[in-house]
Amino acid sequence: DTMENKGKFPAKSNDDDVIEILRKEADDALNNTENIIKKRIEPFGVTQANVQRQSLTGRIVVELPGIDDRERVRKTLKATANLEFWDTYRTDEVFMKMYELYGTIGKKVAPDLYSQDPDRASKDSLMMVALKDSSLTAPQQDSIRTAYSDTTVRPDSLLTETELSRKYPLRKMQINPQAGSPIIAFAMVSDTAEINKYLNMEVAKQSLPQDLRLLWGAKPEKNVVTLYGIKDNSLRGKAELDGKSIVDARQDFNMITGEVEVNMTMDSEGAAVWREMTRRNAADNKRSIAIVMDNLVFSAPSVNSEIPNGSSVIQFGRAATGADQPKLEQEAKDLAGLLKAGSLPAPAKIIDEVTVGPSVGEENINAGVMSFIIAFVLILMYMVFYYAWAGWAANIALIANLFFMIGALVS
């Protein structure tokens, strides 16, 4: 963040000074990343894990012998684990803005499908005033609608599915009608990329409140994902409270519902901020606080009362089937491990991955055994060739000694 980094650069710094400061920052980030990765791999129980930094390339080599779940390791190493706590918007506070956004983006994407009449707004107002006359018959109402109808554009009923998708690009996003909820909308997981493209358009950002951030939920249900409204009071994307204040995290179960959850404990500074956040939101008609990690909302519980002790919970819910329960518990344990280890200073990318499977190890063992046998036979032949009968006696003694050694090792 520009404001955060402002103090790191003296006012009279030249280019060399700035480069030196940036180099030191990068070196510190690499050192911190190495230490955090070491902490993250501890829960895997690998006895001879190796984490080694390559100073010249800026890379970190991680060797984990005996690991079977490669996808879990990959996910753990790559996760930034940037935990944040945010105030939220309620649906009713942004419902009309989101509804108007359908047409705003549509006019930008497909202006040919919208009215070209510059007086359209005033004509619509006059039509609504005329239709308020309760004495009008149905034919009279129809004639008024015809008189004020827009002749510059076809009605939606005559448009094809392709044209409707162009006119309303956000039609795949369903706005949540439930008032008071932090969930603003719903969409299919497969449609989120397209929706993000339209929500990131400049015209969309200008139409929505400046402090509104729209973030997807982390746990889709039946292939449907929720869209939350986050209130960015800083206007700079900086959360009031983040994961740096977490001193302990563990996977647990809800005593009442039995659902999987992660319990977190904060330090004194974080507890003070958390107390103020919960007090403020509880007083605001129990407004929700969103728990966000890596720009995904894990949960957004409503705040019933002030929480003075710095404790908080991330809810994972209950598995759909009994077979999925161990996987859900493992995800919660992995998240707890990430939070305890801390967030990465920068995103980590896996640029190369090599797996040495059991077949390679077996080939090495077979090659070693074969080389031993060949060398042993050659020694026996050399002893007989050079020492004749004395060589035979030496060979027998050597073989007997070998058996005795193996027997002693086995016992």
Side-chain angles (χ1 to χ4, degrees), residues 206-235:
Q206 294 174 357
S207 302
L208 297 174
Q210 192 176 1
D211 61 349
L212 172 64
R213 291 181 62 199
L214 297 172
L215 298 180
W216 295 106
K219 302 184 288 291
E221 294 185 9
K222 297 181 180 179
N223 208 32
V224 175
V225 65
T226 50
L227 185 66
Y228 290 83
I230 305 302
K231 183 177 291 187
D232 181 7
N233 297 316
S234 71
L235 299 181

Side-chain angles (χ1 to χ4, degrees), residues 243-262:
K244 295 177 182 178
S245 300
I246 302 297
V247 294
D248 187 32
R250 66 184 186 279
Q251 184 265 321
D252 207 342
F253 298 93
N254 188 288
M255 296 293 291
I256 300 176
T257 64
E259 295 181 344
V260 179
E261 60 186 25
V262 172

